[in-house]
């Protein structure tokens, strides 16, 4: 059986509200292109929360305008040592999202850059730019290779790099972690570990019949129509012995049951001799990302996994 980390809960039953369930309605559906237009319209009327300024912005890792990342560096580096790196990949249904969004960066920068980590948040071309999920995973692998090759220029340690992603980004980092051929094609090395924050597509063939009605078109755009295409982009099916340790955080509030997929992945990973854990959370899909970094049991549980990967990482997490 897969190992299961503690499952602390920060929200009371009275506060329980599953944002994914609230969005399961006909007027939220449509193609990625339609969703992009809707999000842009909503942003015109939404109060914008400030995000931290990156130390270095828009570093290119390829020729496309969205093949860029931001670097957040600690104010003071540890004497004589490079900093561990966290690479964050945003979600947005393979259709929307941005590396500088407050929920992607704010608490993570405050928590981990403040403890001596370099945090790198990256963009990647969207479905509406002509990229499906598999192409996006190749972009993430390309970014990983570029970061590993240049990390020391920003004070980072390329051998102590943790991949992290939320939602679609969680699928992408899990796929890059699982499939060594993706990394090899990009010239990337295995990361130290990978943290998947509520991916909805760890086992793509299992997920496709379960997809929320309003997401059906977008999933088909991301993964295609055939089982062969689904298998090619499925972390569970692409998992090999060259993967790194993996933590699957999953929402217990979602009707499509991402925890079942996370458990299957962890069980297969353990069978292959690669450490894996599942961390169920009674939080909405959005809050699993937005609340990571807040002081409390949830953040500590994720940090226990991070600390188990390497003694230098563990020391930094204790504070300086």
């Amino acid at each position: 059986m897969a190992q299961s980390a503690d499952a602390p809960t920060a929200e009371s039953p009275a506060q329980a509200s599953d944002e994914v369930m609230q969005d399961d309605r006909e007027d939220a559906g449509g193609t990625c292109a339609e969703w992009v237009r809707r999000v842009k319209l909503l942003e015109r009327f939404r109060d914008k929360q400030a995000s931290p300024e990156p130390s270095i912005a828009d570093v290119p890792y390829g020729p496309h305008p969205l093949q860029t990342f931001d670097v957040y560096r600690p104010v003071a580096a540890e004497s004589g040592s490079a900093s561990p790196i966290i690479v964050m990949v945003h979600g947005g249904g393979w259709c929307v999202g941005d590396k500088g969004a407050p929920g992607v960066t704010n608490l993570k920068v405050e928590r981990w850059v403040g403890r001596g980590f370099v945090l790198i948040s990256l963009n990647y071309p969207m479905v509406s730019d002509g990229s499906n999920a598999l192409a996006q995973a190749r972009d993430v692998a390309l970014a990983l290779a570029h970061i590993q090759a240049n990390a020391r220029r920003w004070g980072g340690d390329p051998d102590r790099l943790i991949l992290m992603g939320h939602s679609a980004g969680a699928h992408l980092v899990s796929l890059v972690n699982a499939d060594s051929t993706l990394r090899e094609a990009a010239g990337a090395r295995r990361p130290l570990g990978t943290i998947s924050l509520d991916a909805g597509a760890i086992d793509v063939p299992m997920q496709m019949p379960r997809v929320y009605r309003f997401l059906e078109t977008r999933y088909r755009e991301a993964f295609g129509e055939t089982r062969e295409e689904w298998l090619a982009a499925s972390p569970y099916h692409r998992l090999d012995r060259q993967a790194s340790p993996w933590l699957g955080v999953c929402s217990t509030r979602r009707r499509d049951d991402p925890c079942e997929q996370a458990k299957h992945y962890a069980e297969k990973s353990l069978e292959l001799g690669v450490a894996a854990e599942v961390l169920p959370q009674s939080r909405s899909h959005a809050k699993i990302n937005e609340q990571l970094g807040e002081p409390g049991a949830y953040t500590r549980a994720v940090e226990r996994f991070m600390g188990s990967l390497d003694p230098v990482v563990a020391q930094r997490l204790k504070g300086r």
Side-chain angles (χ1 to χ4, degrees):
M1 287 293 295
Q3 298 170 348
S4 180
D6 294 337
T9 301
E11 300 169 356
S12 69
Q15 294 171 310
S17 63
D18 190 337
E19 290 139 14
V20 174
M21 293 290 288
Q22 292 173 352
D23 281 340
D24 190 12
R25 58 185 191 270
E26 292 296 338
D27 64 351
T31 66
C32 274
E34 291 167 342
W35 187 241
V36 169
R37 288 194 294 270
R38 185 177 293 119
V39 168
K40 287 181 178 178
L41 180 63
L42 290 172
E43 285 177 347
R44 293 172 56 189
F45 302 100
R46 184 181 296 150
D47 291 334
K48 293 192 176 180
Q49 182 182 353
S51 299
E53 288 292 329
S55 307
I56 309 169
D58 298 322
V59 179
Y61 64 87
H64 193 281
L66 286 174
Q67 289 178 314
T68 62
F69 57 78
D70 294 339
V71 181
Y72 300 84
R73 300 172 62 183
V75 175
E78 291 283 343
S79 177
S81 64
S83 297
I85 302 168
I86 299 169
V87 175
M88 179 66 194
V89 182
H90 70 77
W94 306 274
C95 296
V96 297
D98 184 74
K99 57 184 169 55
V104 175
T105 58
N106 282 11
L107 288 175
K108 299 174 185 69
V109 169
E110 180 181 349
R111 179 81 178 186
W112 293 316
V113 175
R115 284 167 168 75
F117 288 76
V118 171
L119 189 138
I120 294 175
S121 184
L122 64 90
N123 274 345
Y124 50 96
M126 302 281 94
V127 164
S128 55
D129 300 305
S131 290
N132 62 15
L134 184 56
Q136 291 171 349
R138 294 187 180 114
D139 286 327
V140 173
L142 188 65
L144 174 61
H146 187 86
I147 292 164
Q148 289 171 330
N150 294 278
R152 296 194 184 279
R153 296 165 58 182
W154 313 308
D157 185 344
D159 296 320
R160 292 188 170 95
L161 184 152
I162 299 170
L163 281 178
M164 179 183 293
H166 172 244
S167 191
H171 161 261
L172 296 175
V173 298
S174 295
L175 183 55
V176 170
N177 179 62
D179 188 351
S180 61
T181 65
L182 277 176
R183 299 194 304 274
E184 291 166 0
R189 303 190 303 278
R190 178 173 58 182
L192 186 65
T194 298
I195 300 171
S196 168
L197 302 175
D198 207 34
I202 292 299
D203 183 331
V204 177
M206 178 185 289
Q207 176 66 5
M208 292 303 280
R210 301 181 177 184
V211 171
Y212 286 98
R213 187 171 63 252
F214 78 101
L215 289 172
E216 288 175 351
T217 298
R218 278 172 260 167
Y219 265 75
R220 288 197 299 271
E221 289 179 316
F223 293 106
E225 302 283 353
T226 69
R227 181 175 175 83
E228 182 180 8
E229 292 173 296
W230 301 347
L231 292 172
S234 177
Y236 174 82
H237 293 90
R238 302 301 300 172
L239 180 60
D240 61 37
R241 296 181 186 276
Q242 301 306 310
S244 67
W246 180 85
L247 174 66
V249 184
C250 56
S251 171
T252 59
R253 298 184 182 181
R254 288 174 52 176
R255 194 173 62 240
D256 57 349
D257 195 8
C259 290
E260 181 182 9
Q261 295 182 46
K263 290 172 184 175
H264 286 170
Y265 179 103
E267 289 166 357
K268 182 176 179 179
S269 187
L270 291 168
E271 290 172 359
L272 293 172
V274 181
E277 302 178 30
V278 178
L279 180 61
Q281 287 289 295
S282 180
R283 300 170 192 264
S284 71
H285 179 67
K287 296 302 183 186
I288 278 179
N289 180 49
E290 293 170 0
Q291 294 177 341
L292 182 58
E294 288 183 352
Y298 171 38
T299 296
R300 289 197 302 272
V302 173
E303 289 182 342
R304 279 196 293 273
F305 170 79
M306 295 167 66
S308 72
L309 301 172
D310 179 83
V312 172
V313 171
Q315 185 61 39
R316 294 290 175 100
L317 290 170
K318 293 178 181 178
R320 298 158 66 181

